[in-house]
Amino acid sequence: VLESAIRSLLSLESDTVVDENADFKSLGFDSILSVELASVLNMKFAGARFAASIVFDFPNMKRLKAHLLGQEKPLAQMRVRN
């Protein structure tokens, strides 16, 4: 879900692999895209609250994934909305 949201926000093809070690800033994320990513993730995961500063708090996808997996209630246990 995370990589799919990132590809969508960056207008990348669905088969494009996003380097999980690349800084969000180098991928083209700015404060507006950070807000949009948080909004997409908040809509996708019931019970989750992602801050608008998410790409600045966790500067690449690998660190963001690690944070999300370490949540009190891991995303795997949350209901994904369609």
Side-chain angles (χ1 to χ4, degrees):
V1 172
L2 178 60
E3 189 171 353
S4 176
I6 290 169
R7 280 194 305 265
S8 177
L9 290 170
L10 295 175
S11 301
L12 300 174
E13 297 293 326
S14 62
D15 60 347
T16 301
V17 176
V18 178
D19 179 2
E20 67 178 10
N21 292 306
D23 288 342
F24 285 121
K25 187 174 181 178
S26 71
L27 293 173
F29 272 84
D30 56 13
S31 57
I32 293 170
L33 284 178
S34 183
V35 169
E36 290 181 17
L37 178 60
S39 178
V40 167
L41 294 176
N42 285 330
M43 286 188 299
K44 287 285 186 185
F45 293 99
R49 294 302 328 145
F50 298 97
S53 60
I54 196 166
V55 301
F56 302 107
D57 298 335
F58 306 96
N60 60 43
M61 190 165 53
K62 185 175 184 176
R63 289 191 53 196
L64 179 54
K65 280 182 183 178
H67 168 72
L68 297 177
L69 292 172
Q71 290 286 314
E72 190 172 307
K73 184 176 182 182
L75 294 183
Q77 295 176 5
M78 292 183 185
R79 184 174 52 89
V80 177
R81 296 179 182 142
N82 293 325

